[in-house]
Amino acid sequence: MGRLKETGASEMRPVRWARVAVAAVFAVHGAVTGNFATRIPWIQERLDLSAGQLGLALAFPAIGASLAMPLAGRISHRFGARAALRGLLALWTAWLVMPPLAPGLVWLCGVLLVFGATAGTSDVAMNALGVEVENRLGRSIMSGLHGMWSVGALTGSAAGTVAAHAGADARLHLGIAAAVLTVLGAVVCHWVLDLRSTPEEHPPPRFALPPRSALIIGAVGFCAVFAEGASLDWSAVYLRDVLDTSPGLAAACTTAFSCTMAGARLVGDAVVGRFGAVRTVRTGGVLATAGGLLVVTASTPALAIAGFGLIGLGIAVVVPLAFAAAGRSGPAPSQAITGVATITYTSGLIAPAAMGSIADLTSLTISFCLVTTLALGLVAGAGVLRIPARTDAAGSAPHSDPSTSRASLP
């Protein structure tokens, strides 16, 4: 028995290291987003963009991601999961230097198109590896991995807040961040799982419609990502333009939002295990709706920052649960993961353009009324993320989502 235990521990050691490595990859990926989001007001001011023009530009990352994400599976099939992730992540981190260098709106749109393409493909690659590690460990880790993404976003937004408060040129700030994150990404990718396709395995299609299961799951993710994208991209602009705050305080709002997202995701696996996916997401939808109402009625920066914090808390675990549900659905989980990723990035495509267009026609406050309305969609659609019943290896009674168990109801 001692030898068996030692062998089992030896076999699981690379998987545990892979979990740490893929968590670090999520953090690096999030740090790029956090750094970029806090310097959006600087880019807008430098190029003298209106809210509508900024919204148009911010739609292009999601366009690029949606177009490129179906290629991620084929790249992993060709080069192996580890090499594919290393290359795609390096492209994403290095491209961070480009947005502040754009000389005009058209150039900014083109730069952000490539920015989104590298973000989306690396996102699919790291989520697929995360789902594989979760399956090998036999327990939920996806919320924690996305929590590490939020930790990275928080760290990046904190750096951006300091840079904005100090009046640093965004070209210098993002150039340094790109160099540091590219090196970190290359290092941590060394320990992720090195999955390779067998010679007889056919490569995935370059483009394919998402399976039906992904459409249903992705609809819930759509609502959460819309609220997340709107808050990340527009929270600093909202405080600056609506509540007339300083650039440093406006950037701090993005940090507060990222902080609540990170905290909720890091404890999300334990919360879902205790209360179930359905109840957790429904409660989150209520919190996000309350946060949206607080934002649109806020008369002081403190109230608005609190509202953005509640939005982050409420939507935090939805996307990790959507990816985990996709990984359990149908005969082709990788295709389902790609489908859910494409749908959620499409939400990111719609969010900035919709927010900017509504702000041009009415006001930015009215734009966040749309975010509040979509948060209610989480309450209505939480049931599709239900964890299916399963029987353990000993053949005991099946386990299921606690939120669907009669005994767990109040």
Side-chain angles (χ1 to χ4, degrees):
M1 287 296 296
R3 287 183 179 179
L4 287 175
K5 289 181 180 179
E6 184 177 347
T7 301
S10 177
E11 291 176 349
M12 290 302 295
R13 191 174 297 115
V15 180
R16 296 192 182 99
W17 276 108
R19 179 191 179 182
V20 174
V22 78
V25 168
F26 270 76
V28 169
H29 196 284
V32 177
T33 300
N35 275 284
F36 171 69
T38 57
R39 305 318 302 263
I40 289 174
W42 186 95
I43 295 172
Q44 180 186 20
E45 183 177 356
R46 175 175 177 265
L47 300 181
D48 194 24
L49 303 177
S50 67
Q53 289 174 322
L54 180 61
L56 173 64
L58 292 176
F60 276 82
I63 294 174
S66 299
L67 292 175
M69 278 190 296
L71 298 175
R74 199 171 184 90
I75 294 171
S76 295
H77 177 88
R78 172 67 178 82
F79 298 102
R82 179 186 294 168
L85 178 60
R86 182 186 290 121
L88 293 171
L89 185 65
L91 289 173
W92 162 237
T93 54
W95 201 256
L96 177 62
V97 73
M98 296 302 296
L101 300 177
L105 176 61
V106 175
W107 282 98
L108 180 63
C109 291
V111 165
L112 294 182
L113 182 73
V114 179
F115 193 59
T118 58
T121 49
S122 56
D123 188 285
V124 170
M126 71 186 190
N127 272 286
L129 279 170
V131 169
E132 179 63 26
V133 172
E134 179 176 272
N135 291 338
R136 294 192 183 192
L137 290 174
R139 53 193 170 88
S140 175
I141 65 167
M142 287 303 292
S143 181
L145 293 181
H146 282 256
M148 290 303 298
W149 188 96
S150 293
V151 168
L154 171 62
T155 304
S157 62
T161 299
V162 172
H165 185 73
D169 191 303
R171 290 166 291 193
L172 175 62
H173 160 221
L174 296 183
I176 294 173
V180 171
L181 293 173
T182 300
V183 172
L184 286 176
V187 171
V188 298
C189 281
H190 178 73
W191 286 279
V192 301
L193 293 176
D194 190 17
L195 306 178
R196 293 184 179 274
S197 303
T198 59
E200 63 274 8
E201 184 177 345
H202 293 290
R206 289 184 176 87
F207 295 98
L209 292 176
R212 184 175 299 178
S213 60
L215 293 175
I216 299 172
I217 295 168
V220 178
F222 181 97
C223 296
V225 172
F226 190 103
E228 181 179 357
S231 299
L232 273 175
D233 288 348
W234 288 95
S235 58
V237 178
Y238 187 91
L239 261 72
R240 187 195 64 187
D241 292 354
V242 176
L243 298 176
D244 196 28
T245 63
S246 66
L249 184 58
C253 182
T254 305
T255 303
F257 175 80
S258 299
C259 187
T260 56
M261 290 276 290
R265 283 177 170 173
L266 288 173
V267 301
D269 291 319
V271 173
V272 172
R274 174 66 180 85
F275 298 104
V278 176
R279 184 178 296 177
T280 300
V281 172
R282 283 180 179 156
T283 303
V286 172
L287 291 175
T289 302
L293 290 172
L294 190 56
V295 168
V296 300
T297 59
S299 57
T300 65
L303 288 176
I305 292 173
F308 283 115
L310 281 176
I311 293 174
L313 183 65
I315 66 175
V317 301
V318 178
V319 173
L321 288 175
F323 277 111
R328 296 189 301 266
S329 67
S334 61
Q335 189 173 340
I337 290 171
T338 300
V340 169
T342 302
I343 293 169
T344 54
Y345 267 82
T346 299
S347 179
L349 162 64
I350 295 173
M355 296 291 288
S357 297
I358 295 172
D360 268 354
L361 293 173
T362 55
S363 68
L364 198 52
T365 301
I366 299 299
S367 296
F368 274 95
C369 290
L370 176 60
V371 174
T372 306
T373 302
L374 286 175
L376 285 172
L378 300 178
V379 181
V384 303
L385 303 182
R386 181 175 291 111
I387 299 174
R390 65 187 186 276
T391 304
D392 61 25
S396 61
H399 304 281
S400 62
D401 192 327
S403 62
T404 64
S405 170
R406 185 178 300 273
S408 71
L409 295 177

mmCIF file of all heavy atoms in Angstrom, residues 194-233:
data_model
loop_
_atom_site.group_PDB
_atom_site.id
_atom_site.type_symbol
_atom_site.label_atom_id
_atom_site.label_comp_id
_atom_site.label_asym_id
_atom_site.label_seq_id
_atom_site.Cartn_x
_atom_site.Cartn_y
_atom_site.Cartn_z
ATOM 1 N N ASP A 194 1.782 19.294 -21.172
ATOM 2 C CA ASP A 194 2.211 19.258 -22.579
ATOM 3 C C ASP A 194 1.358 18.239 -23.326
ATOM 4 O O ASP A 194 1.792 17.128 -23.627
ATOM 5 C CB ASP A 194 3.693 18.891 -22.669
ATOM 6 C CG ASP A 194 4.255 19.082 -24.076
ATOM 7 O OD1 ASP A 194 3.602 19.779 -24.879
ATOM 8 O OD2 ASP A 194 5.332 18.535 -24.370
ATOM 9 N N LEU A 195 0.129 18.617 -23.602
ATOM 10 C CA LEU A 195 -0.804 17.722 -24.301
ATOM 11 C C LEU A 195 -0.514 17.742 -25.789
ATOM 12 O O LEU A 195 -0.333 18.807 -26.377
ATOM 13 C CB LEU A 195 -2.246 18.162 -24.036
ATOM 14 C CG LEU A 195 -2.664 18.309 -22.565
ATOM 15 C CD1 LEU A 195 -4.094 18.790 -22.485
ATOM 16 C CD2 LEU A 195 -2.494 16.990 -21.827
ATOM 17 N N ARG A 196 -0.507 16.559 -26.380
ATOM 18 C CA ARG A 196 -0.257 16.453 -27.820
ATOM 19 C C ARG A 196 -1.281 15.515 -28.454
ATOM 20 O O ARG A 196 -1.682 14.526 -27.852
ATOM 21 C CB ARG A 196 1.162 15.944 -28.089
ATOM 22 C CG ARG A 196 2.238 16.927 -27.659
ATOM 23 C CD ARG A 196 3.629 16.454 -28.014
ATOM 24 N NE ARG A 196 4.643 17.426 -27.619
ATOM 25 C CZ ARG A 196 5.020 18.447 -28.366
ATOM 26 N NH1 ARG A 196 4.452 18.619 -29.566
ATOM 27 N NH2 ARG A 196 5.936 19.294 -27.945
ATOM 28 N N SER A 197 -1.675 15.842 -29.670
ATOM 29 C CA SER A 197 -2.635 15.022 -30.397
ATOM 30 C C SER A 197 -1.959 13.756 -30.919
ATOM 31 O O SER A 197 -0.769 13.763 -31.257
ATOM 32 C CB SER A 197 -3.237 15.806 -31.569
ATOM 33 O OG SER A 197 -3.837 17.001 -31.113
ATOM 34 N N THR A 198 -2.727 12.680 -30.966
ATOM 35 C CA THR A 198 -2.210 11.442 -31.537
ATOM 36 C C THR A 198 -2.160 11.555 -33.058
ATOM 37 O O THR A 198 -2.915 12.348 -33.652
ATOM 38 C CB THR A 198 -3.101 10.260 -31.142
ATOM 39 O OG1 THR A 198 -4.437 10.509 -31.608
ATOM 40 C CG2 THR A 198 -3.140 10.093 -29.624
ATOM 41 N N PRO A 199 -1.285 10.797 -33.729
ATOM 42 C CA PRO A 199 -1.155 10.906 -35.192
ATOM 43 C C PRO A 199 -2.460 10.647 -35.937
ATOM 44 O O PRO A 199 -2.708 11.242 -36.992
ATOM 45 C CB PRO A 199 -0.108 9.845 -35.539
ATOM 46 C CG PRO A 199 0.683 9.683 -34.276
ATOM 47 C CD PRO A 199 -0.285 9.879 -33.153
ATOM 48 N N GLU A 200 -3.317 9.764 -35.386
ATOM 49 C CA GLU A 200 -4.554 9.435 -36.100
ATOM 50 C C GLU A 200 -5.694 10.412 -35.801
ATOM 51 O O GLU A 200 -6.764 10.335 -36.415
ATOM 52 C CB GLU A 200 -5.008 8.018 -35.732
ATOM 53 C CG GLU A 200 -5.358 7.801 -34.270
ATOM 54 C CD GLU A 200 -4.144 7.455 -33.415
ATOM 55 O OE1 GLU A 200 -3.016 7.546 -33.945
ATOM 56 O OE2 GLU A 200 -4.334 7.099 -32.236
ATOM 57 N N GLU A 201 -5.463 11.336 -34.873
ATOM 58 C CA GLU A 201 -6.515 12.285 -34.512
ATOM 59 C C GLU A 201 -6.624 13.377 -35.573
ATOM 60 O O GLU A 201 -5.646 14.006 -35.938
ATOM 61 C CB GLU A 201 -6.208 12.904 -33.149
ATOM 62 C CG GLU A 201 -7.298 13.833 -32.639
ATOM 63 C CD GLU A 201 -6.973 14.374 -31.253
ATOM 64 O OE1 GLU A 201 -6.067 13.807 -30.604
ATOM 65 O OE2 GLU A 201 -7.611 15.363 -30.843
ATOM 66 N N HIS A 202 -7.843 13.594 -36.029
ATOM 67 C CA HIS A 202 -8.064 14.614 -37.051
ATOM 68 C C HIS A 202 -8.000 15.998 -36.419
ATOM 69 O O HIS A 202 -8.493 16.211 -35.304
ATOM 70 C CB HIS A 202 -9.421 14.421 -37.729
ATOM 71 C CG HIS A 202 -9.502 13.180 -38.546
ATOM 72 N ND1 HIS A 202 -8.813 13.014 -39.725
ATOM 73 C CD2 HIS A 202 -10.181 12.024 -38.341
ATOM 74 C CE1 HIS A 202 -9.064 11.817 -40.231
ATOM 75 N NE2 HIS A 202 -9.897 11.187 -39.405
ATOM 76 N N PRO A 203 -7.425 16.980 -37.104
ATOM 77 C CA PRO A 203 -7.393 18.337 -36.557
ATOM 78 C C PRO A 203 -8.792 18.922 -36.493
ATOM 79 O O PRO A 203 -9.658 18.593 -37.316
ATOM 80 C CB PRO A 203 -6.516 19.102 -37.556
ATOM 81 C CG PRO A 203 -6.621 18.340 -38.825
ATOM 82 C CD PRO A 203 -6.764 16.901 -38.423
ATOM 83 N N PRO A 204 -9.053 19.775 -35.498
ATOM 84 C CA PRO A 204 -10.377 20.409 -35.413
ATOM 85 C C PRO A 204 -10.602 21.339 -36.594
ATOM 86 O O PRO A 204 -9.647 21.815 -37.217
ATOM 87 C CB PRO A 204 -10.302 21.191 -34.097
ATOM 88 C CG PRO A 204 -8.852 21.416 -33.868
ATOM 89 C CD PRO A 204 -8.144 20.233 -34.453
ATOM 90 N N PRO A 205 -11.863 21.610 -36.940
ATOM 91 C CA PRO A 205 -12.128 22.514 -38.066
ATOM 92 C C PRO A 205 -11.657 23.928 -37.763
ATOM 93 O O PRO A 205 -11.608 24.351 -36.609
ATOM 94 C CB PRO A 205 -13.669 22.457 -38.187
ATOM 95 C CG PRO A 205 -14.143 22.041 -36.838
ATOM 96 C CD PRO A 205 -13.084 21.125 -36.294
ATOM 97 N N ARG A 206 -11.279 24.629 -38.846
ATOM 98 C CA ARG A 206 -10.833 26.016 -38.655
ATOM 99 C C ARG A 206 -11.961 26.870 -38.102
ATOM 100 O O ARG A 206 -11.763 27.691 -37.225
ATOM 101 C CB ARG A 206 -10.349 26.596 -39.995
ATOM 102 C CG ARG A 206 -9.030 26.000 -40.480
ATOM 103 C CD ARG A 206 -8.567 26.694 -41.751
ATOM 104 N NE ARG A 206 -7.258 26.212 -42.193
ATOM 105 C CZ ARG A 206 -7.080 25.166 -42.957
ATOM 106 N NH1 ARG A 206 -8.140 24.458 -43.383
ATOM 107 N NH2 ARG A 206 -5.862 24.784 -43.309
ATOM 108 N N PHE A 207 -13.150 26.700 -38.626
ATOM 109 C CA PHE A 207 -14.311 27.432 -38.142
ATOM 110 C C PHE A 207 -15.487 26.464 -38.073
ATOM 111 O O PHE A 207 -15.694 25.659 -38.979
ATOM 112 C CB PHE A 207 -14.660 28.603 -39.076
ATOM 113 C CG PHE A 207 -13.600 29.660 -39.120
ATOM 114 C CD1 PHE A 207 -12.666 29.696 -40.135
ATOM 115 C CD2 PHE A 207 -13.527 30.613 -38.112
ATOM 116 C CE1 PHE A 207 -11.677 30.670 -40.174
ATOM 117 C CE2 PHE A 207 -12.540 31.581 -38.137
ATOM 118 C CZ PHE A 207 -11.620 31.611 -39.170
ATOM 119 N N ALA A 208 -16.228 26.519 -36.972
ATOM 120 C CA ALA A 208 -17.396 25.671 -36.802
ATOM 121 C C ALA A 208 -18.389 26.395 -35.902
ATOM 122 O O ALA A 208 -18.003 27.132 -34.983
ATOM 123 C CB ALA A 208 -17.007 24.325 -36.182
ATOM 124 N N LEU A 209 -19.684 26.190 -36.170
ATOM 125 C CA LEU A 209 -20.705 26.786 -35.326
ATOM 126 C C LEU A 209 -20.649 26.158 -33.944
ATOM 127 O O LEU A 209 -20.392 24.961 -33.800
ATOM 128 C CB LEU A 209 -22.089 26.568 -35.947
ATOM 129 C CG LEU A 209 -22.371 27.323 -37.248
ATOM 130 C CD1 LEU A 209 -23.751 26.928 -37.792
ATOM 131 C CD2 LEU A 209 -22.301 28.832 -37.033
ATOM 132 N N PRO A 210 -20.858 26.955 -32.881
ATOM 133 C CA PRO A 210 -20.858 26.387 -31.534
ATOM 134 C C PRO A 210 -21.950 25.344 -31.390
ATOM 135 O O PRO A 210 -23.040 25.494 -31.962
ATOM 136 C CB PRO A 210 -21.143 27.609 -30.633
ATOM 137 C CG PRO A 210 -20.798 28.796 -31.464
ATOM 138 C CD PRO A 210 -21.090 28.403 -32.882
ATOM 139 N N PRO A 211 -21.711 24.246 -30.649
ATOM 140 C CA PRO A 211 -22.767 23.263 -30.415
ATOM 141 C C PRO A 211 -23.916 23.873 -29.627
ATOM 142 O O PRO A 211 -23.761 24.898 -28.954
ATOM 143 C CB PRO A 211 -22.052 22.167 -29.619
ATOM 144 C CG PRO A 211 -20.859 22.835 -29.029
ATOM 145 C CD PRO A 211 -20.456 23.904 -29.996
ATOM 146 N N ARG A 212 -25.075 23.213 -29.683
ATOM 147 C CA ARG A 212 -26.267 23.755 -29.033
ATOM 148 C C ARG A 212 -26.056 23.953 -27.536
ATOM 149 O O ARG A 212 -26.514 24.941 -26.955
ATOM 150 C CB ARG A 212 -27.460 22.818 -29.272
ATOM 151 C CG ARG A 212 -28.777 23.337 -28.708
ATOM 152 C CD ARG A 212 -29.929 22.421 -29.088
ATOM 153 N NE ARG A 212 -30.065 22.351 -30.535
ATOM 154 C CZ ARG A 212 -30.972 21.584 -31.146
ATOM 155 N NH1 ARG A 212 -31.780 20.814 -30.435
ATOM 156 N NH2 ARG A 212 -31.053 21.573 -32.462
ATOM 157 N N SER A 213 -25.360 23.020 -26.903
ATOM 158 C CA SER A 213 -25.111 23.147 -25.459
ATOM 159 C C SER A 213 -24.332 24.418 -25.155
ATOM 160 O O SER A 213 -24.579 25.083 -24.141
ATOM 161 C CB SER A 213 -24.354 21.920 -24.946
ATOM 162 O OG SER A 213 -23.100 21.797 -25.613
ATOM 163 N N ALA A 214 -23.386 24.762 -26.023
ATOM 164 C CA ALA A 214 -22.587 25.961 -25.812
ATOM 165 C C ALA A 214 -23.431 27.222 -25.970
ATOM 166 O O ALA A 214 -23.196 28.228 -25.290
ATOM 167 C CB ALA A 214 -21.412 25.992 -26.780
ATOM 168 N N LEU A 215 -24.411 27.189 -26.858
ATOM 169 C CA LEU A 215 -25.276 28.349 -27.055
ATOM 170 C C LEU A 215 -26.069 28.658 -25.791
ATOM 171 O O LEU A 215 -26.206 29.813 -25.378
ATOM 172 C CB LEU A 215 -26.230 28.103 -28.225
ATOM 173 C CG LEU A 215 -25.598 28.003 -29.617
ATOM 174 C CD1 LEU A 215 -26.666 27.640 -30.650
ATOM 175 C CD2 LEU A 215 -24.930 29.316 -29.995
ATOM 176 N N ILE A 216 -26.598 27.604 -25.156
ATOM 177 C CA ILE A 216 -27.412 27.801 -23.960
ATOM 178 C C ILE A 216 -26.555 28.277 -22.798
ATOM 179 O O ILE A 216 -26.889 29.234 -22.096
ATOM 180 C CB ILE A 216 -28.139 26.488 -23.602
ATOM 181 C CG1 ILE A 216 -29.073 26.069 -24.750
ATOM 182 C CG2 ILE A 216 -28.939 26.654 -22.306
ATOM 183 C CD1 ILE A 216 -29.681 24.696 -24.578
ATOM 184 N N ILE A 217 -25.422 27.617 -22.601
ATOM 185 C CA ILE A 217 -24.523 28.008 -21.515
ATOM 186 C C ILE A 217 -23.949 29.402 -21.776
ATOM 187 O O ILE A 217 -23.844 30.233 -20.870
ATOM 188 C CB ILE A 217 -23.389 26.983 -21.366
ATOM 189 C CG1 ILE A 217 -23.956 25.625 -20.935
ATOM 190 C CG2 ILE A 217 -22.339 27.455 -20.371
ATOM 191 C CD1 ILE A 217 -22.970 24.491 -21.048
ATOM 192 N N GLY A 218 -23.588 29.655 -23.033
ATOM 193 C CA GLY A 218 -22.995 30.939 -23.380
ATOM 194 C C GLY A 218 -23.921 32.115 -23.176
ATOM 195 O O GLY A 218 -23.453 33.236 -22.952
ATOM 196 N N ALA A 219 -25.257 31.883 -23.259
ATOM 197 C CA ALA A 219 -26.204 32.983 -23.074
ATOM 198 C C ALA A 219 -26.094 33.572 -21.670
ATOM 199 O O ALA A 219 -26.186 34.795 -21.480
ATOM 200 C CB ALA A 219 -27.622 32.493 -23.331
ATOM 201 N N VAL A 220 -25.888 32.710 -20.676
ATOM 202 C CA VAL A 220 -25.711 33.203 -19.303
ATOM 203 C C VAL A 220 -24.376 33.928 -19.188
ATOM 204 O O VAL A 220 -24.287 35.004 -18.586
ATOM 205 C CB VAL A 220 -25.801 32.042 -18.304
ATOM 206 C CG1 VAL A 220 -25.568 32.542 -16.881
ATOM 207 C CG2 VAL A 220 -27.156 31.355 -18.403
ATOM 208 N N GLY A 221 -23.327 33.330 -19.770
ATOM 209 C CA GLY A 221 -22.033 33.992 -19.767
ATOM 210 C C GLY A 221 -22.074 35.339 -20.467
ATOM 211 O O GLY A 221 -21.359 36.273 -20.084
ATOM 212 N N PHE A 222 -22.910 35.451 -21.497
ATOM 213 C CA PHE A 222 -23.057 36.703 -22.241
ATOM 214 C C PHE A 222 -23.438 37.846 -21.304
ATOM 215 O O PHE A 222 -22.855 38.936 -21.352
ATOM 216 C CB PHE A 222 -24.122 36.522 -23.328
ATOM 217 C CG PHE A 222 -24.354 37.729 -24.188
ATOM 218 C CD1 PHE A 222 -23.730 37.848 -25.415
ATOM 219 C CD2 PHE A 222 -25.205 38.745 -23.778
ATOM 220 C CE1 PHE A 222 -23.944 38.966 -26.223
ATOM 221 C CE2 PHE A 222 -25.428 39.859 -24.567
ATOM 222 C CZ PHE A 222 -24.789 39.968 -25.792
ATOM 223 N N CYS A 223 -24.430 37.596 -20.429
ATOM 224 C CA CYS A 223 -24.887 38.643 -19.507
ATOM 225 C C CYS A 223 -23.774 39.067 -18.557
ATOM 226 O O CYS A 223 -23.577 40.261 -18.301
ATOM 227 C CB CYS A 223 -26.087 38.135 -18.706
ATOM 228 S SG CYS A 223 -27.562 37.771 -19.692
ATOM 229 N N ALA A 224 -23.027 38.072 -18.037
ATOM 230 C CA ALA A 224 -21.963 38.383 -17.082
ATOM 231 C C ALA A 224 -20.824 39.144 -17.745
ATOM 232 O O ALA A 224 -20.299 40.117 -17.187
ATOM 233 C CB ALA A 224 -21.449 37.102 -16.442
ATOM 234 N N VAL A 225 -20.418 38.708 -18.939
ATOM 235 C CA VAL A 225 -19.277 39.350 -19.607
ATOM 236 C C VAL A 225 -19.640 40.754 -20.070
ATOM 237 O O VAL A 225 -18.794 41.652 -20.074
ATOM 238 C CB VAL A 225 -18.788 38.480 -20.778
ATOM 239 C CG1 VAL A 225 -17.742 39.204 -21.605
ATOM 240 C CG2 VAL A 225 -18.199 37.178 -20.242
ATOM 241 N N PHE A 226 -20.897 40.976 -20.450
ATOM 242 C CA PHE A 226 -21.321 42.330 -20.814
ATOM 243 C C PHE A 226 -21.119 43.264 -19.621
ATOM 244 O O PHE A 226 -20.546 44.356 -19.752
ATOM 245 C CB PHE A 226 -22.783 42.332 -21.248
ATOM 246 C CG PHE A 226 -23.234 43.626 -21.873
ATOM 247 C CD1 PHE A 226 -23.373 43.726 -23.245
ATOM 248 C CD2 PHE A 226 -23.506 44.744 -21.096
ATOM 249 C CE1 PHE A 226 -23.780 44.920 -23.841
ATOM 250 C CE2 PHE A 226 -23.905 45.940 -21.665
ATOM 251 C CZ PHE A 226 -24.043 46.028 -23.044
ATOM 252 N N ALA A 227 -21.572 42.815 -18.436
ATOM 253 C CA ALA A 227 -21.419 43.642 -17.242
ATOM 254 C C ALA A 227 -19.946 43.826 -16.880
ATOM 255 O O ALA A 227 -19.518 44.922 -16.485
ATOM 256 C CB ALA A 227 -22.171 43.014 -16.075
ATOM 257 N N GLU A 228 -19.155 42.764 -17.042
ATOM 258 C CA GLU A 228 -17.728 42.846 -16.726
ATOM 259 C C GLU A 228 -17.007 43.783 -17.679
ATOM 260 O O GLU A 228 -16.233 44.647 -17.255
ATOM 261 C CB GLU A 228 -17.102 41.456 -16.786
ATOM 262 C CG GLU A 228 -15.621 41.439 -16.459
ATOM 263 C CD GLU A 228 -15.021 40.042 -16.498
ATOM 264 O OE1 GLU A 228 -15.775 39.082 -16.719
ATOM 265 O OE2 GLU A 228 -13.794 39.927 -16.325
ATOM 266 N N GLY A 229 -17.249 43.606 -18.982
ATOM 267 C CA GLY A 229 -16.581 44.449 -19.965
ATOM 268 C C GLY A 229 -16.971 45.909 -19.831
ATOM 269 O O GLY A 229 -16.120 46.806 -19.923
ATOM 270 N N ALA A 230 -18.266 46.165 -19.606
ATOM 271 C CA ALA A 230 -18.724 47.542 -19.445
ATOM 272 C C ALA A 230 -18.078 48.190 -18.231
ATOM 273 O O ALA A 230 -17.656 49.357 -18.266
ATOM 274 C CB ALA A 230 -20.245 47.569 -19.316
ATOM 275 N N SER A 231 -17.976 47.433 -17.141
ATOM 276 C CA SER A 231 -17.398 47.990 -15.912
ATOM 277 C C SER A 231 -15.897 48.213 -16.048
ATOM 278 O O SER A 231 -15.377 49.249 -15.619
ATOM 279 C CB SER A 231 -17.689 47.060 -14.735
ATOM 280 O OG SER A 231 -19.083 46.927 -14.524
ATOM 281 N N LEU A 232 -15.186 47.244 -16.635
ATOM 282 C CA LEU A 232 -13.743 47.403 -16.801
ATOM 283 C C LEU A 232 -13.406 48.570 -17.732
ATOM 284 O O LEU A 232 -12.516 49.372 -17.456
ATOM 285 C CB LEU A 232 -13.132 46.111 -17.348
ATOM 286 C CG LEU A 232 -12.717 45.046 -16.336
ATOM 287 C CD1 LEU A 232 -12.250 43.795 -17.055
ATOM 288 C CD2 LEU A 232 -11.625 45.561 -15.405
ATOM 289 N N ASP A 233 -14.116 48.663 -18.860
ATOM 290 C CA ASP A 233 -13.778 49.660 -19.868
ATOM 291 C C ASP A 233 -14.320 51.051 -19.551
ATOM 292 O O ASP A 233 -13.737 52.054 -19.967
ATOM 293 C CB ASP A 233 -14.301 49.223 -21.238
ATOM 294 C CG ASP A 233 -13.503 48.067 -21.812
ATOM 295 O OD1 ASP A 233 -12.428 47.766 -21.270
ATOM 296 O OD2 ASP A 233 -13.961 47.460 -22.795
#
